[in-house]
Amino acid sequence: MFKERSRHVVRKERRRRSWNRGDLAILLFGVLAFLSLTFGAPLFHHMQVAAGGNSAVLGSPAAGIVSRDAAPKATETAAAGGTKAADGTGADGSVADGSGAAEGQAQALANSALQPPLPLQPPSPALPAAAEPLRIRYASAGLDIPVHPLDVDAAAQASQTVEPPATKDGYWLTPFGSPGQGSTNTTYVIGHSWEGADAPFNHLSSAAAVGDRFEVDTATGTIPYTVDNVTTYVKSSLKDSPIWSIVPNRLVLISCFTEDPWGKNVVVTASPAS
């Protein structure tokens, strides 16, 4: 019995040893040879490439197919948030070596050069300290007269209607502004215009024009003015007109309108000349 069992075991061991590595290699080679003859040499080539550890996707670089391990190297995210190729060029073909930023700055400078320059603001004229006006010299309007202070009571200020003394001089309304540096309100000078008789303010109605220049002598110096506006008002509407707005260093000359001295006023508005 012992001998028979040992023979049986030997037979089984022989059967197991019959499929050794050499036999498996021969079998695998035969299968590969069969597949190669059946499906052609290309399949056999790809299987060899796969067996060699290359992770290329079907096809070759010559066919335009990129391998998986090469894909991450093809492009990388730029530090500025864009993308650039491995050779340093951007998605639009620009070179990512800093020249793009320089070109952008140059273009921005060129664009700014094409923009029209902003108009220069005229500098504020240097004025003497605010003081009472003493004389007005307005050659083109035939005006060269002394100016006297005129106090105005509360009722006259509220109604904005003031009657100057019947002289050929000008009168400065003292409750309002003084011309010069530190002025806090508009300066008002009034005078008469007489129909059929000579009066210092007669020519304001006919000769005063926007852009005229004249001078006002004050207790601290001389201030040149430029005429900004010449307007005619109905006397009843003068008290509600914008000439009474608070505008420091503005000068307003008021008189009767020569062609209608009883119904209208002529108003000349001026600012210190730059």
Side-chain angles (χ1 to χ4, degrees):
M1 287 293 293
F2 178 76
K3 291 183 180 180
E4 290 181 359
R5 287 183 179 179
S6 61
R7 290 177 184 177
H8 183 68
V9 172
V10 170
R11 290 176 184 175
K12 287 184 179 180
E13 289 178 353
R14 288 178 181 178
R15 289 179 183 178
R16 290 176 183 175
R17 292 177 182 176
S18 62
W19 292 98
N20 55 23
R21 294 180 179 179
D23 294 335
L24 291 175
I26 294 173
L27 178 61
L28 177 61
F29 182 78
V31 171
L32 292 177
F34 172 77
L35 293 175
S36 176
L37 293 176
T38 304
F39 298 101
L43 179 61
F44 180 73
H45 170 73
H46 296 322
M47 293 182 67
Q48 283 185 332
V49 172
N54 193 326
S55 58
V57 184
L58 293 178
S60 64
I65 299 176
V66 184
S67 64
R68 292 191 184 97
D69 57 349
K73 298 179 182 180
T75 58
E76 60 180 357
T77 303
T83 58
K84 64 179 182 178
D87 60 356
T89 60
D92 56 353
S94 60
V95 179
D97 59 354
S99 62
E103 291 177 1
Q105 293 177 355
Q107 184 62 39
L109 291 174
N111 292 338
S112 62
L114 295 176
Q115 297 296 327
L118 296 175
L120 297 177
Q121 298 295 330
S124 300
L127 302 176
E132 63 179 295
L134 302 176
R135 193 172 193 88
I136 296 178
R137 291 177 279 114
Y138 189 168
S140 60
L143 192 64
D144 188 354
I145 58 171
V147 177
H148 308 287
L150 179 63
D151 293 331
V152 180
D153 58 24
Q157 290 185 51
S159 63
Q160 306 288 10
T161 56
V162 181
E163 182 71 19
T167 69
K168 293 184 178 181
D169 298 332
Y171 292 89
W172 165 53
L173 304 184
T174 58
F176 299 95
S178 301
Q181 186 68 38
S183 172
T184 58
N185 201 344
T186 299
T187 301
Y188 298 93
V189 177
I190 65 175
H192 280 293
S193 292
W194 294 323
E195 184 180 12
D198 188 24
F201 283 75
N202 275 0
H203 300 293
L204 287 181
S205 300
S206 58
V210 173
D212 286 349
R213 293 174 71 96
F214 63 90
E215 294 179 338
V216 175
D217 296 331
T218 73
T220 57
T222 299
I223 303 175
Y225 283 87
T226 301
V227 175
D228 299 321
N229 197 9
V230 180
T231 308
T232 301
Y233 290 95
V234 175
K235 287 192 175 186
S236 60
S237 67
L238 184 64
K239 60 184 177 61
D240 299 320
S241 70
I243 69 168
W244 301 107
S245 300
I246 296 176
V247 181
N249 268 319
R250 182 178 62 169
L251 177 65
V252 174
L253 306 177
I254 306 174
S255 184
C256 293
F257 184 57
T258 305
E259 296 181 5
D260 185 5
W262 304 106
K264 296 180 180 179
N265 288 113
V266 61
V267 177
V268 176
T269 304
S271 300
S274 59

